[in-house]
Amino acid sequence: DSALIYLPGDTAIINPYRKIELVVKRGPYDELYTKAITAYNQKRYAEGARLMSDFISKEPTLDEAYQIRAYCSYYIGNYKQSISDIDHFMSKRGPDYFLLSLRGINYRALGNLDQACKDFKTSADNGNPDGISNYGKYCGGR
């Protein structure tokens, strides 16, 4: 943990730490987490969202759970939940430009094109191909 404090951007430290963190936090609820991931991978998004919500109620500090639930929520049309989960994930992990583009898609679905275009632009400006495509498709004249 000290290395994360003194060398916060060092991926040689962060990546192994995240892998260990994932195993430790999933441990007691691994079966539930695995079922949620399986449902997501099999495009059973409503089930995936429900199972991941169950997991989060037991282990609310695993950021990846919010990321997966954000995608599931988007696919079932629960755009506000998806936005909330993306915001939670990024508040803990910092910017994720794929998720930022997804947040823009959610905002667009909710009718907030101004915020959607801001997210698409930031995502695009940071080299995300989805952000570039979405910005060009939905915000070309902005």
Side-chain angles (χ1 to χ4, degrees):
D1 288 346
S2 297
L4 289 174
I5 294 167
Y6 296 112
L7 303 166
D10 190 337
T11 57
I13 295 167
I14 293 170
N15 293 340
Y17 178 85
R18 298 279 188 232
K19 287 178 185 177
I20 293 168
E21 178 186 46
L22 183 63
V23 170
V24 169
K25 289 182 177 182
R26 274 179 49 182
Y29 314 107
D30 188 57
E31 183 178 346
L32 179 58
Y33 187 87
T34 300
K35 285 181 181 179
I37 294 294
T38 299
Y40 169 75
N41 288 336
Q42 294 177 352
K43 299 182 181 183
R44 298 187 330 260
Y45 300 118
E47 181 182 355
R50 180 183 54 77
L51 291 168
M52 201 54 81
S53 291
D54 289 348
F55 176 85
I56 289 169
S57 72
K58 295 171 181 3
E59 175 46 79
T61 64
L62 185 64
D63 302 329
E64 286 81 358
Y66 294 89
Q67 182 182 31
I68 296 298
R69 189 172 69 178
Y71 280 102
C72 288
S73 295
Y74 162 73
Y75 285 119
I76 62 174
N78 192 348
Y79 306 120
K80 289 180 181 179
Q81 180 65 58
S82 183
I83 290 168
S84 176
D85 286 340
I86 291 166
D87 289 345
H88 176 86
F89 180 88
M90 291 195 305
S91 75
K92 303 293 184 184
R93 294 289 179 96
D96 179 302
Y97 300 110
F98 286 97
L99 283 178
L100 194 61
S101 184
L102 177 62
R103 190 175 75 178
I105 293 169
N106 283 299
Y107 276 122
R108 182 181 168 278
L110 292 170
N112 188 344
L113 190 58
D114 288 339
Q115 184 59 52
C117 288
K118 287 178 188 176
D119 285 350
F120 294 150
K121 177 141 179 42
T122 301
S123 181
D125 288 348
N126 285 279
N128 178 278
D130 293 338
I132 293 166
S133 173
N134 288 330
Y135 187 77
K137 188 187 304 183
Y138 302 116
C139 312
R142 291 177 178 253

